[in-house]
Amino acid sequence: MTYLLALDQGTSSSRSIVFDRAGRVVTMAQREFRQIYPQPGWVEHDPGDLWQTQLATARDALKQAHLRADQIAAVGITNQRETTLVWNRKTGEPIYNAIVWQDRRAEGTCAALREAGHADTVLQKTGLRIDAYFSGTKLKWLLDHVRGARAAAERGELAFGTVDSWLIWQLTGGQRHVTDVSNASRTMLFNVHTRQWDDELLALLDVPKSLMPEALPSSAHFGEIQAEWLGAPLAIGGVAGDQQSALFGQACFTAGMAKNTYGTGCFMLMHTGERFQVSQNGLITTATAQPSGPSQYALEGSVFIGGAVVQWLRDGLRAIESSSEVQSLAESVPDAGGVVLVPAFTGLGAPYWQPDTRGSITGLTRGTTIAHIARAALESIAFQSAALLDAMSRDAVAAGGVPVSELRVDGGACVNNLLMQIQADLLGIPVVRPAVIETTALGAAYLAGLHSGVYDGLEELSKQWRAERTFHPTLSRERAAEKMAHWEHAVRQTVAP
């Protein structure tokens, strides 16, 4: 048997999964780590926690599978994107905690860049909106606020990286300072056309180029894991940011294919092939995870509150005791009874981009029950995702392409059959759940397998993809349009001053 090991470093936990050659999960190990909130709007991780939990889960997964490291063909890494670390090249010591992608402390820098008229330059070179979400302004904050950091950076003593770079540095004993194009494309410092760190963007944020890692294709030689960590040297052959890795794991390799990951938030990506397309509908453009070859891109939209609305039902309203109960509660009523829940707990993401908006529940009557609110909560996930897909399809048609014809889904909340059926009904296209829903880790394993020769090419991976269930729309397009109009009306009420 041939095995691949995927290291999946996420926002709340580190996981390691062993896959066989057919892409089936052999074993999985997971460890949560501490979230640090120094003040409102700030989110940090201890870099040591990221490294130690990831290493521990890799060891756990191999032990559970009764495998030695020399039985693993290659290792892939996928990671929470945009989270920013800086460390000393000589000692390997971080200069500060990791600043997490959710952190908003750099909003002042972003506002200044927008006011100075740099938004279009950033958009055309990177595909991104100027936002504190991305790594570049977090890096500037570290250089400006950690004592001695800027001077040390200018002397070439420091290294910047997203979480993939930090893990590779640790695993290779400081031998490799690298990232891949999909992670680099999320920094606001990387020109996705030239696939190079951009001198103009670095100058805008006053970032010395010596800080930056080498950016490689997503399937490449990223270095060797030192034998001391897992028992034998292992090649790292694949790296990708989590959402691009999920797109790859779903075998969405060609223009027009799309996936949606239903997690705490929802992340939808549509492959656009070699065409760099600036969205006219509130989306961003990102580099896909890919082997070597011409640059390939995807349109991306983020829903800030997806599965987190179910957590709110559990922890905030105490309407349910566990998240698994939400489906039966929502199915106890035929519909939401006119109730619409807009879960803008942290603002609204794409395609609305209303960061200061807060949530609302409209349509309440004396007959409203907690079951109606639970159903409205599930519907809110599907409504937000439908708005994203509509924006993507409009962008695709405007560029001479065709609308998305099916949506591949993954993430924890995709196991909710009612949610997936509501999603298919709103979209009017099939929603397809794969046999393996661990597609983020699977994408990293596939990228590593391609580089190590386990797989011949993308065609083989496409044939390996299997559907577990397809949800077909049952609602008329007229009724679906009415429901979407009802949703958009509720959003306008929520956004209105």
Side-chain angles (χ1 to χ4, degrees), residues 428-448:
I429 59 174
V431 168
V432 187
R433 186 168 63 203
V436 177
I437 64 169
E438 299 291 349
T439 54
T440 300
L442 183 60
Y446 277 169
L447 289 162

Side-chain angles (χ1 to χ4, degrees), residues 335 338 383 425-426 474-486:
D335 54 45
F383 278 132
D425 287 343
L426 290 176
T474 58
L475 207 61
S476 72
R477 298 317 301 140
E478 293 76 16
R479 181 67 186 123
E482 287 174 13
K483 290 173 78 72
M484 282 304 297
H486 198 190

Side-chain angles (χ1 to χ4, degrees), residues 10 24 51 129 136 200 210 217 222 242 278 288 324-325 374 391 399 439:
R24 294 181 294 244
W51 160 234
R129 302 165 73 99
E200 183 182 4
S210 62
F222 289 88
D242 53 8
V278 173
T288 62
S324 59
E325 296 172 21
T439 54

Side-chain angles (χ1 to χ4, degrees), residues 270 275 277 391-404:
M270 180 184 74
R275 186 180 71 249
Q277 183 178 349
M392 285 183 177
S393 291
R394 280 184 279 134
D395 278 332
V397 170
V402 294
V404 175

Side-chain angles (χ1 to χ4, degrees), residues 357-382:
T357 295
R358 291 298 173 259
S360 70
I361 303 177
T362 59
L364 297 173
T365 68
R366 281 293 298 273
T368 299
T369 67
I370 199 68
H372 292 109
I373 293 173
R375 190 168 184 114
L378 276 189
E379 288 182 350
S380 75
I381 303 172

Side-chain angles (χ1 to χ4, degrees), residues 277-433:
Q277 183 178 349
V278 173
S279 173
Q280 302 304 310
N281 295 287
L283 307 174
I284 60 175
T285 307
T286 197
T288 62
Q290 63 177 94
S292 56
S295 296
Q296 298 192 344
Y297 306 100
L299 289 173
E300 176 175 331
S302 305
V303 170
F304 294 159
I305 300 294
V309 74
V310 178
Q311 295 169 339
W312 172 73
L313 285 176
R314 182 193 65 197
D315 303 334
L317 289 190
R318 301 192 183 278
I320 51 177
E321 288 191 7
S322 71
S323 297
S324 59
E325 296 172 21
V326 71
Q327 180 169 331
S328 58
L329 180 59
E331 284 180 328
S332 69
V333 290
D335 54 45
V339 175
V340 180
L341 192 162
V342 180
F345 304 152
T346 55
L348 287 171
Y352 306 107
W353 294 107
Q354 296 287 339
D356 298 324
T357 295
R358 291 298 173 259
S360 70
I361 303 177
T362 59
L364 297 173
T365 68
R366 281 293 298 273
T368 299
T369 67
I370 199 68
H372 292 109
I373 293 173
R375 190 168 184 114
L378 276 189
E379 288 182 350
S380 75
I381 303 172
F383 278 132
Q384 292 176 97
S385 297
L388 280 183
L389 194 84
D390 179 62
M392 285 183 177
S393 291
R394 280 184 279 134
D395 278 332
V397 170
V402 294
V404 175
S405 59
E406 72 169 26
L407 182 66
R408 296 184 175 186
V409 298
D410 52 63
C414 84
V415 301
N416 188 306
N417 292 335
L418 175 60
L419 172 59
M420 294 300 99
Q421 186 59 54
I422 292 169
Q423 191 70 84
D425 287 343
L426 290 176
L427 296 176
I429 59 174
V431 168
V432 187
R433 186 168 63 203

